[in-house]
Amino acid sequence: MRKPGVEHILSLKCLICGKEYHPDEVEYVCPDHGDEGILDVQYDYECIARRISQGDLLHNTDYSMWRYRPLLPLRADASVPPLLVGWTPLLRANRLAAELGLKHVWIKDDGRQPTGSLKDRASAIAVVKAQEKGAQVITTASTGNAAAALAGLCASVRQRNVIFVPQSAPPAKIAQLLVFGSQVLLVQGSYDDAFELCLLAAREYGWYNRNTAYNPYMTEGKKTVALEICEQMGWQAPDAVFVSVGDGCIIGGLHKGFRDLYHLGWIDHIPRLIGVQAAGSAYLYEAWVNQEDVLTKPPIAAHTVADSISAGLPRDRLKAMAAVRDTKGAFVRVSDDEILAAIPALARGSGVFAEPAGAAAYAGLLKALSDGQVHADERIVVLVTGNGLKDVPNAMRSVEQIGTRAHVVEKTFADVQRVVQQLNLSGASSSV
Ligand SMILES: *Cc1c(COP(=O)(O)O)cnc(C)c1O
Ligand SMILES: [Zn+2]
């Protein structure tokens, strides 16, 4: 028996062959293209426009991603998890902008999500879709944050889940999984290995599969960050958005969100999307520069301090390439040293503490600026995708790298005075 679909979804369209499927006809990917046959949700915008308007949003007090529910792939009767996901702050970073010689810079702080990264937006959708299917177990592979997000969202609704993460994931992220009560498989291999194993297990045991760029609905959750950015800017879309890129699902999600709003006529242009990659994991940057076909380009060996964007074969590479190409954006590449330096630079300039992959977006802005890719009066958003507390060892490295250290004192006031004098902190003369 065919279950009723989601009324405002027209089809799921294969990004390779363009074939369209009814949402109940396929589980995840295009049957003709196997694991590579990523599907894109096609909406009936006329139907959506009857259900939501900019005016409605003005009066909507649901400050979470669910305020955009008519734009999400949910059935009308679906209930959503209780954790508050979305509506993260968009901060105007005037001082930072001035230091860079720019006029308009905002930081979208998705480190403020319940589990500390933007991945909560996708995992929230995964939990709803899994419950729609009556799944006993949800599974995902992850470099850490998608897993932590799934673990937290599942805990909020008592949903069983199995997580595949590389053993090398930062301890804070593994701790989150265990604290939330997930079943954790620490894979003695890379994220790419964990991904393959997770696909096999999901198929074998019939678990609901949340994997990025396999489950077509994850992009739909991630796109809510673009919807929020535009609403928070009074529907004046920014000129450019900087975002770090691993698998490419977030940048694809941003693209989707901006396209949705453009189709609805709520914004008059789509921002340039600037994908920032770590030099040691720059598959998409290389493909873009060398005009390589990402369907045939072989995987690379990925190594970077920014674990969240370490991906030898970016799973959402088709959507990521389209996001950059169609918006006349760019990929930029930053070194691990530049990423680490961006952590305290961003924190000191704005008060936002990012994990390496979050700070990478800011490092990318610095790189693009020095390459003359941005203009002083452009309106620029830097998307910070993950919280600095996710990776304390690399935060410590980032300050060691610039020579910032704590001052150890004996437990005497005399020693405190010694340090205060040494630092020139006594009296009003040193007010900053
Ligand atoms: C997952 C993640 C990214 C990269 O997102 P992709 O969809 O893999 O490109 C960037 N930053 C953080 C903090 C993440 O968790
Ligand atoms: Zn296909």
Side-chain angles (χ1 to χ4, degrees), residues 117 119 145 222 244-250 308-309 355 357-358 385-386:
S117 86
K119 299 295 198 298
N145 283 339
K222 288 172 184 170
S244 65
V245 176
D247 275 324
C249 187
I250 294 178
S308 301
I309 51 172
E355 69 163 89
T385 42

Side-chain angles (χ1 to χ4, degrees), residues 70-322:
L71 277 154
L72 294 173
L74 306 188
R75 294 220 309 248
D77 58 353
S79 63
V80 300
L83 275 188
L84 198 79
V85 180
W87 202 257
T88 54
L90 181 77
L91 310 162
R92 184 107 206 203
N94 285 340
R95 190 158 53 83
L96 200 69
E99 284 167 12
L100 301 178
L102 296 171
K103 294 206 183 95
H104 316 284
V105 176
W106 287 263
I107 292 164
K108 177 67 170 168
D109 185 9
D110 254 47
R112 295 269 300 259
Q113 296 282 10
T115 79
S117 86
L118 186 146
K119 299 295 198 298
D120 286 341
R121 298 179 186 274
S123 289
I125 298 274
V127 166
V128 178
K129 296 305 276 186
Q131 296 200 329
E132 193 178 281
K133 288 209 179 296
Q136 300 292 308
V137 173
I138 311 184
T139 191
T140 197
S142 166
T143 56
N145 283 339
L150 186 63
L153 269 299
C154 282
S156 79
V157 296
R158 270 190 147 274
Q159 164 75 54
R160 292 177 67 199
N161 63 100
V162 180
I163 306 285
F164 293 76
V165 278
Q167 204 172 24
S168 58
K173 296 180 184 181
I174 296 171
Q176 281 185 292
L177 307 177
L178 297 170
V179 167
F180 284 129
S182 302
Q183 296 301 332
V184 182
L185 301 182
L186 280 186
V187 178
Q188 295 178 314
S190 65
Y191 165 58
D192 303 276
D193 298 320
F195 193 100
E196 294 301 337
L197 290 173
C198 181
L199 284 188
L200 290 174
R203 230 169 262 148
E204 177 74 16
Y205 305 115
W207 297 338
Y208 188 76
N209 193 327
R210 179 233 177 267
N211 275 330
T212 292
Y214 186 78
N215 185 318
Y217 300 113
M218 300 305 94
T219 304
E220 305 303 310
K222 288 172 184 170
K223 81 181 179 186
T224 57
V225 72
L227 309 180
E228 287 174 19
I229 288 170
C230 290
E231 188 177 357
Q232 288 168 323
M233 296 177 82
W235 307 111
Q236 305 287 310
D239 295 310
V241 179
F242 284 78
V243 57
S244 65
V245 176
D247 275 324
C249 187
I250 294 178
I251 197 169
L254 278 166
H255 189 209
K256 184 66 172 286
F258 290 124
R259 275 182 297 154
D260 279 355
L261 297 177
Y262 188 76
H263 282 299
L264 287 168
W266 295 9
I267 57 174
D268 66 4
H269 70 276
I270 294 178
R272 275 168 26 242
L273 298 179
I274 316 291
V276 183
Q277 291 222 280
S281 179
Y283 182 105
L284 289 163
Y285 170 85
E286 285 168 17
W288 184 72
V289 168
N290 303 323
Q291 302 190 349
E292 291 170 277
D293 178 357
V294 293
L295 281 177
T296 53
K297 180 176 165 63
I300 59 169
H303 298 285
T304 166
V305 287
D307 62 291
S308 301
I309 51 172
S310 183
L313 183 65
R315 300 287 163 170
D316 233 343
R317 53 201 182 280
L318 294 173
K319 286 184 185 172
M321 288 305 272

Side-chain angles (χ1 to χ4, degrees), residues 14 16-19 21 30 32-33 37:
C14 174
I16 299 176
C17 66
K19 193 164 166 194
Y21 299 91
C30 172
D32 294 346
H33 290 96

